[in-house]
Amino acid sequence: MSKKMAIIGGGPVGLYLSILLAKSGHYVSVFEKGTWPVDKVCGQGIMPSGVELLKTIGIEVNNEESFSFSGVRYIDGDNVIEGRLKRPGLGMDRKVLSSKLHQLALLDSKITLKDQSKVDELSLYDKAVSISTNNNFEVFDYVFICDGLNSTFRRKLDLEVKRKGEHRMGARVHFECEPWCDKVEVYWNNGVEAYVTPVGNHKIEIAFLWFEKSIEKGAYLEERLFNLFPELSNKVKGKTKLNDFKAYGPFNTVSMAMKKGPVFLVGDAYKFLDGITGEGISLGLKAATVIAKNFENFSFIHKLKIGLIYLNYAIWVKLALMLSRNLIFRKIIFKFANKFSSFFDYILIMNDVQWGSKNS
Ligand SMILES: Cc1cc2nc3c(=O)[nH]c(=O)nc-3n(C[C@H](O)[C@H](O)[C@H](O)COP(=O)(O)OP(=O)(O)OC[C@H]3O[C@@H](n4cnc5c(N)ncnc54)[C@H](O)[C@@H]3O)c2cc1C
């Protein structure tokens, strides 16, 4: 029987979920506080598992608006190693991804898209949930919270947990230029990484991730970040910068549960640990796929499927952060990877497992 549902947050995960739910015959309202297309600080590289899921709902890919990358190249001074992906990943500007998902959702008459609709309150009843936006009050059978890293509703539902350890931050800026490499490049410095993701035949994005203590807060953040990577700075010298530098973070809160009664937390609202493994979007899409199919009879098995996907993510994030922080560990790994050329290929495959989240 078709249900009436609300999605709070029209980021990539919220929109993707709305399309899956509507395809199964449910009536879905998506509440987005901003206006589509919605921008966000992100590395903008989508791992192959995420690309596959986007294709199943009809997202089309072309080289003017996106870039199929073949792997990841890691650069630590003179040491360079590469990992090849089995299937291509996709570099796509966040606004392009948002626009494509929005266009698809518009085509489905079961989806009502409400922009400039910030949800203010949510109340849980036995078998229903009410939400209020701009003084309007509506009741739904299910609500899916997809309101991102700083989720208000995770806090309101008493599910927020602060993570221990050093906080991480992120930033991004775009350049208009031809990508010089068909892979995502990752430049390492102690505690700071720079990512170059081609997002089209004439556009790249540079994202930075760092431990909060590694970089002082304050003025000239962009210049100070680029100064840590002279080789990269030289590569973009003279290229047209789009002046959209934006920082974001810290990433230090998660949810202790993915469900409370008829309310589910999906995407970053559930968990985002770090951008270092380039997985946030794929993870959210995988979890959304499991939830869309099983929300009515959500059992231990479904929780386990999503739990394993996030456990795998947590392990690789931990290892990658060790690499970021520890120069000696990084040198050992780079040496090992240079000896065994397929070592990083396997790591990339292990990093991007699908585990029961195929949408077919
Ligand atoms: C520096 C950095 C680099 C990253 N690099 C990558 C990468 O290379 N690859 C990758 O896959 N992931 C990466 N990520 C992670 C990725 O950006 C996120 O995982 C992804 O955006 C999560 O999508 P989402 O839809 O869950 O949340 P979001 O994209 O944050 O969307 C949440 C939406 O909810 C809306 N909203 C919030 N509150 C309300 C409210 N009260 N009412 C209505 N609407 C509301 C917001 O306006 C927003 O549109 C990176 C993240 C960072 C910070």
Side-chain angles (χ1 to χ4, degrees):
M1 212 177 78
S2 60
K3 302 280 179 199
K4 187 182 171 200
M5 18 189 97
I7 293 180
I8 305 177
V13 175
L15 286 175
Y16 171 81
L17 181 59
S18 74
I19 293 164
L20 291 190
L21 292 170
K23 271 188 199 299
S24 309
H26 304 292
Y27 290 89
V28 193
S29 297
V30 184
F31 297 87
E32 166 55 47
K33 71 175 178 188
T35 318
W36 287 290
V38 185
D39 194 12
K40 178 190 174 283
V41 174
C42 177
Q44 302 187 156
I46 307 173
M47 293 308 265
S49 61
V51 180
E52 291 303 313
L53 291 175
L54 289 172
K55 282 186 184 161
T56 62
I57 58 163
I59 292 284
E60 283 170 10
V61 170
N62 70 58
N63 280 349
E64 277 313 305
E65 295 176 315
S66 57
F67 191 98
S68 289
F69 57 83
S70 66
V72 185
R73 175 186 283 172
Y74 303 87
I75 301 155
D76 185 12
D78 292 337
N79 294 318
V80 179
I81 49 172
E82 292 191 347
R84 279 164 311 213
L85 289 162
K86 248 180 148 180
R87 299 165 291 169
L90 187 71
M92 188 181 263
D93 191 287
R94 173 53 70 102
K95 277 192 165 170
V96 174
L97 176 63
S98 174
S99 169
K100 281 181 177 280
L101 285 163
H102 181 235
Q103 292 301 321
L104 272 181
L106 275 174
L107 293 176
D108 198 314
S109 59
K110 289 197 162 67
I111 302 177
T112 308
L113 292 161
K114 303 186 181 200
D115 62 358
Q116 295 187 327
S117 299
K118 180 170 183 271
V119 179
D120 301 311
E121 286 304 330
L122 176 150
S123 306
L124 276 175
Y125 306 103
D126 194 18
K127 282 193 173 148
V129 197
S130 73
I131 63 174
S132 63
T133 2
N134 309 332
N135 294 327
N136 289 323
F137 175 88
E138 259 186 279
V139 178
F140 296 91
D141 297 313
Y142 289 90
V143 169
F144 300 87
I145 295 177
C146 304
D147 59 351
L149 173 71
N150 295 314
S151 172
T152 311
F153 291 99
R154 177 174 68 204
R155 217 165 22 249
K156 288 195 186 225
L157 290 169
D158 283 331
L159 293 175
E160 185 164 291
V161 185
K162 288 237 181 302
R163 288 164 59 215
K164 291 196 184 104
E166 268 189 77
H167 297 164
R168 294 262 293 171
M169 302 286 296
R172 71 95 213 265
V173 65
H174 287 94
F175 287 84
E176 258 173 20
C177 67
E178 269 179 40
W180 55 81
C181 176
D182 75 337
K183 298 183 174 58
V184 170
E185 284 189 331
V186 183
Y187 294 76
W188 299 86
N189 193 313
N190 287 342
V192 190
E193 304 90 54
Y195 287 70
V196 184
T197 309
V199 292
N201 278 342
H202 304 284
K203 199 170 174 186
I204 61 158
E205 192 217 48
I206 299 184
F208 296 95
L209 284 159
W210 66 94
F211 285 95
E212 212 173 9
K213 281 187 191 151
S214 308
I215 305 279
E216 267 183 45
K217 282 186 188 145
Y220 305 110
L221 176 62
E222 182 181 359
E223 286 80 354
R224 286 187 283 126
L225 286 166
F226 270 104
N227 285 343
L228 294 173
F229 301 97
E231 189 188 343
L232 175 59
S233 300
N234 276 336
K235 284 185 180 164
V236 291
K237 212 176 193 166
K239 311 282 186 212
T240 309
K241 192 165 70 174
L242 295 184
N243 285 329
D244 58 353
F245 180 83
K246 218 175 181 179
Y248 191 65
F251 325 133
N252 63 340
T253 44
V254 293
S255 173
M256 67 175 86
M258 57 185 89
K259 179 180 187 309
K260 189 166 187 176
V263 176
F264 287 82
L265 290 99
V266 201
D268 283 9
Y270 171 55
K271 207 169 269 186
F272 176 70
L273 304 176
D274 206 282
I276 196 161
T277 58
E279 285 179 280
I281 297 170
S282 314
L283 285 166
L285 301 183
K286 286 182 219 176
T289 307
V290 175
I291 289 170
K293 277 189 206 156
N294 304 291
F295 67 92
E296 284 184 276
N297 301 301
F298 197 74
S299 69
F300 171 74
I301 295 292
H302 309 121
K303 216 168 132 181
L304 185 68
K305 273 186 189 171
I306 298 174
L308 284 175
I309 291 167
Y310 277 90
L311 176 66
N312 186 59
Y313 168 54
I315 292 169
W316 291 113
V317 165
K318 196 146 203 128
L319 279 171
L321 291 182
M322 274 166 68
L323 278 182
S324 166
R325 234 191 308 230
N326 192 323
L327 180 66
I328 295 174
F329 182 49
R330 213 158 62 229
K331 288 225 178 302
I332 294 169
I333 293 290
F334 269 62
K335 219 173 202 153
F336 185 78
N338 268 326
K339 253 199 171 137
F340 302 98
S341 61
S342 45
F343 176 67
F344 262 104
D345 302 352
Y346 287 119
I347 289 201
L348 289 181
I349 292 166
M350 293 298 292
N351 177 39
D352 191 37
V353 290
Q354 204 124 8
W355 286 344
S357 61
K358 284 209 163 92
N359 183 19
S360 51

